[in-house]
Amino acid sequence: MKKDIIIALDGHSACGKSTLAKALAKALKYVYIDSGAMYRAVTYYAMENGLIEEGKAFDAQRIIDNLSDINISFNYNTTTGKSDTYLNGKNVEEIIRTIEVSRNVSEVSKIKEVRQKLVEFQQQLGKNKGIVMDGRDIGTAVFPTAELKLWITADKEIRVARRYKELLEKGYKVSLEEVRENVERRDFEDSHRKESPLVKADDAIVLDNSYLSKQETLKKALDLAYGAMGK
Ligand code: CDP
């Protein structure tokens, strides 16, 4: 029998990590965890509770002081067949994807205490393996010994166009320029922060999906996963 493994997917904003991670988990009957949703949920909490205020200087200490009041969980949604993100018992799966949350999330994810809390939770979720997790530091900080690490990438303009389409389809009013600005800024901030910056793990395999269909990308990743399971 093939052994259960940990599959870590990392990469820049909107590179197709979540789409691939969900499809991989479904095909392998693994658990899928979106670590970005956790950083987004903390950011949403901070915005909703006045810890981040428009036009005011960002105050990390206020977020750190409130961390113990933030409880994140995932619950399976029988209608969509996917798991939704919950913040203190409330389903926030949709609301955490807005461009407003995207504008603040990179600042929140720089905070060491936020990362410590979320990484600990992520590691707990991977204790029994059989998990696919995507994010920025999964192969480097969360699961440095993951059996399979994928570095997902795609040309920047393709990533911007995909995210723009996704937001429009959800009914959000955004411009292509706003989306481009956000993707570029998050890519820069995520790659240049002090705590667990976004970098490719030395042993990660690069998967460029710029000109691959979702099916083609899944096939490549599945082949790699079966290879890693048989090791
Ligand atoms: O979907 P997209 O790739 O645009 O972003 P996401 O995966 O939802 O992550 C949102 C933000 O959370 C990122 O821009 C990072 O600032 C932060 N993040 C992180 O620092 N570490 C992770 N493991 C996952 C996300």
Side-chain angles (χ1 to χ4, degrees):
M1 208 181 101
K2 303 238 181 216
K3 63 170 184 178
D4 275 351
I5 61 168
I6 292 181
I7 304 179
L9 278 76
D10 290 300
H12 291 97
S13 306
C15 65
K17 297 179 297 286
S18 308
T19 305
L20 174 61
K22 273 181 213 157
L24 262 178
K26 193 171 174 204
L28 297 169
K29 297 195 170 55
Y30 274 20
V31 172
Y32 163 59
I33 297 293
D34 174 359
S35 70
M38 299 185 191
Y39 291 92
R40 287 177 178 275
V42 172
T43 305
Y44 177 70
Y45 178 93
M47 291 165 72
E48 281 295 288
N49 289 277
L51 309 177
I52 297 177
E53 289 175 87
E54 188 91 30
K56 287 206 182 158
F58 185 80
D59 184 353
Q61 194 56 46
R62 292 186 72 194
I63 298 176
I64 296 168
D65 292 343
N66 284 271
L67 266 183
S68 59
D69 292 336
I70 303 178
N71 183 29
I72 297 165
S73 55
F74 294 97
N75 288 308
Y76 190 72
N77 180 330
T78 46
T79 315
T80 59
K82 289 173 190 157
S83 110
D84 288 343
T85 313
Y86 280 70
L87 169 67
N88 294 338
K90 183 180 160 213
N91 188 332
V92 293
E93 183 59 31
E94 282 302 316
I95 197 84
I96 58 172
R97 314 280 167 190
T98 60
I99 192 125
E100 288 76 16
V101 172
S102 297
R103 277 193 200 112
N104 289 304
V105 67
S106 286
E107 205 57 52
V108 172
S109 67
K110 283 181 193 165
I111 306 171
K112 187 168 92 198
E113 289 78 356
V114 169
R115 303 204 72 81
Q116 273 167 349
K117 176 180 165 119
L118 298 185
V119 168
E120 200 176 295
F121 181 34
Q122 290 153 12
Q123 289 172 335
Q124 242 176 49
L125 293 169
K127 233 177 29 214
N128 298 325
K129 303 208 174 189
I131 190 168
V132 184
M133 192 177 291
D134 74 324
R136 302 292 187 285
D137 59 343
I138 310 305
T140 52
V142 182
F143 299 122
T145 60
E147 288 82 355
L148 178 62
K149 298 180 187 177
L150 298 176
W151 175 260
I152 313 300
T153 181
D155 295 351
K156 194 192 77 195
E157 279 310 312
I158 292 177
R159 294 190 282 116
V160 169
R162 284 179 187 159
R163 179 52 51 91
Y164 176 60
K165 184 166 169 270
E166 197 182 344
L167 288 167
L168 286 191
E169 278 169 3
K170 285 185 179 166
Y172 295 120
K173 289 195 171 43
V174 284
S175 68
L176 186 67
E177 200 37 58
E178 264 178 300
V179 175
R180 182 180 297 113
E181 194 273 333
N182 181 257
V183 163
E184 284 174 353
R185 196 167 55 81
R186 276 196 299 131
D187 283 352
F188 182 84
E189 290 191 11
D190 294 347
S191 311
H192 291 84
R193 69 184 174 214
K194 194 162 137 258
E195 300 295 329
S196 316
L198 167 67
V199 282
K200 182 181 122 12
D202 290 339
D203 51 351
I205 298 168
V206 178
L207 221 173
D208 184 334
N209 64 31
S210 302
Y211 302 102
L212 295 180
S213 68
K214 287 179 189 170
Q215 268 321 103
E216 288 166 332
T217 312
L218 175 63
K219 168 137 191 358
K220 278 186 189 277
L222 268 180
D223 287 346
L224 292 168
Y226 288 131
M229 284 173 193
K231 265 184 213 162

